[in-house]
């Protein structure tokens, strides 16, 4: 909540995106300020699957926002313990 307050960010939880039939889904957490973007993929004890899903979400987001690059573009995968 402090991050959101100090950066004046918008937070979207379970945010749906669809670019095509292959590139669609939900971001667990999408935190966006005017100059920064943070995507958090929350997985239960499966970091490998979480990383794969996060990469697909990054590709989808770049196409969804219709920008060749999003910078700075911060991303993270988390579990309950890591």
């Amino acid at each position: 909540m402090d991050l959101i307050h100090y950066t004046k960010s918008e937070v979207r939880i379970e945010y749906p995106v669809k670019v095509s039939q292959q590139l669609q889904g939900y971001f667990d957490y999408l935190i966006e300020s005017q100059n920064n973007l943070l995507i958090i993929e929350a997985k239960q004890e499966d970091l490998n699957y979480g990383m794969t899903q996060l990469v697909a979400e990054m590709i989808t987001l770049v196409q969804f926002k219709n920008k060749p690059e999003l910078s700075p573009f911060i991303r993270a995968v988390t579990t309950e313990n890591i």
Side-chain angles (χ1 to χ4, degrees), residues 3-78:
L3 172 71
I4 296 162
H5 172 74
Y6 290 116
T7 62
K8 296 177 178 50
S9 301
E10 289 186 37
V11 177
R12 296 178 180 100
I13 301 172
E14 290 294 321
Y15 181 65
V17 292
K18 183 174 183 178
V19 175
S20 68
Q21 196 65 22
Q22 291 78 24
L23 292 175
Q24 64 179 330
Y26 292 87
F27 294 110
D28 288 346
Y29 301 94
L30 178 65
I31 303 172
E32 189 171 13
S33 68
Q34 193 165 14
N35 298 320
N36 297 298
L37 183 65
L38 170 64
I39 298 174
I40 300 174
E41 180 60 41
K43 288 290 167 208
Q44 295 181 342
E45 302 301 321
D46 193 345
L47 288 177
N48 288 333
Y49 179 70
M51 288 298 289
T52 302
Q53 189 171 353
L54 182 62
V55 169
E57 290 173 350
M58 290 168 29
I59 293 167
T60 302
L61 186 63
V62 167
Q63 292 185 17
F64 183 74
K65 293 282 189 178
N66 200 20
K67 295 181 181 178
E69 65 179 58
L70 296 172
S71 182
F73 195 139
I74 305 164
R75 54 250 171 228
V77 177
T78 183

